[in-house]
Amino acid sequence: NILKVQLQRAAKLCGDKVEFIYLDGRMKSTKDNPVWEEMSRTFKGHEFYEWAEILPGSSIAERKYCDLETSLDFIQDLLRQHEPLDGIFGFSQGANMASLLAAQAVAGEGVNFGFVIESCAAGPGWVEQRSDLFMQKLPMRSLHISGKFDSNPPLPLVELYQEPLSLLHGDGHKIIPSSGGREEADFVAKTIADFVLSAAQ
């Protein structure tokens, strides 16, 4: 699981105070995915999964999905198997879905949780697809992480939230950077751990 690999450092800082549950997407990713090549270079030997099928013609700046409701129903079913939940962490397409899950939780339309972390998201074209969920900025606690050299836009989801926290590191499509040395990696990991520990209280 790519998320588990990337969160090892932050999870270790949380110790036994937090249980991390890692879920794979509902279908294997293909080379058609815009970040497949970048992910393949970064995480060699791993399989990649997607939650939803990208709508043909939708750009990375305004990502949309052709099976959005099917994907949300699938994820909500998974979340119900693990209730109660304190928060959701999403990476890449998982971050895109996490914003929708957060909006559903706020609206009382899905599994409830109290915080969300979104890393390396795409531009939220899906807001147009579910505009009913984004009539107002979301009051949920949120942390947003992007890399300066990510092919995805930097911190594209902060405007969806009332009081977002954000962090822009010096690497690419990764949660924890590896190009800026141990100090930057430790800083990002600690930021995540501190946010989770404070938000889950």
Side-chain angles (χ1 to χ4, degrees), residues 8-194:
Q8 284 179 345
R9 193 183 302 242
K12 186 176 180 180
L13 291 174
C14 291
D16 58 5
K17 296 179 181 178
V18 177
E19 178 188 7
F20 288 84
I21 300 169
Y22 302 96
L23 305 174
D24 283 325
R26 67 185 182 94
M27 52 194 173
K28 286 188 177 181
S29 184
T30 67
K31 293 182 179 181
D32 294 336
N33 188 303
V35 297
W36 190 91
E37 185 175 336
E38 185 175 357
M39 292 282 286
S40 296
R41 289 195 307 268
T42 303
F43 305 103
K44 294 178 180 179
H46 288 273
E47 289 188 327
F48 312 116
Y49 292 85
E50 299 181 39
W51 294 107
E53 184 179 348
I54 296 171
L55 184 69
S58 71
S59 71
I60 202 91
E62 290 289 335
R63 178 65 72 230
K64 294 181 180 179
Y65 298 97
C66 56
D67 57 351
L68 186 58
E69 294 307 315
T70 299
S71 300
L72 290 175
D73 289 345
F74 176 87
I75 301 171
Q76 288 289 353
D77 284 342
L78 283 180
L79 297 185
R80 279 189 283 271
Q81 296 173 29
H82 298 285
E83 286 186 282
L85 300 171
D86 290 307
I88 298 287
F89 193 121
F91 168 67
S92 195
Q93 191 183 85
N96 306 346
M97 295 297 116
S99 71
L100 285 151
L101 298 173
Q104 286 183 313
V106 169
E109 293 187 13
V111 170
N112 188 44
F113 52 92
F115 71 87
V116 65
I117 303 176
E118 297 163 354
S119 178
C120 302
W126 58 86
V127 168
E128 293 182 21
Q129 295 179 273
R130 286 301 310 267
S131 59
D132 57 306
L133 294 175
F134 296 96
M135 300 295 288
Q136 302 176 44
K137 291 192 176 186
L138 304 177
M140 185 177 289
R141 293 187 67 177
S142 65
L143 173 64
H144 306 264
I145 302 168
S146 288
K148 293 179 181 177
F149 298 103
D150 193 349
S151 56
N152 281 358
L155 305 171
L157 305 185
V158 293
E159 294 300 321
L160 301 181
Y161 294 85
Q162 287 184 6
E163 297 182 5
L165 300 176
S166 63
L167 188 159
L168 188 64
H169 62 64
D171 208 330
H173 198 70
K174 301 175 185 178
I175 299 169
I176 306 293
S178 57
S179 63
R182 182 170 181 174
E183 184 176 349
E184 185 183 34
D186 286 346
F187 174 76
V188 176
K190 187 176 185 304
T191 299
I192 293 169
D194 288 348

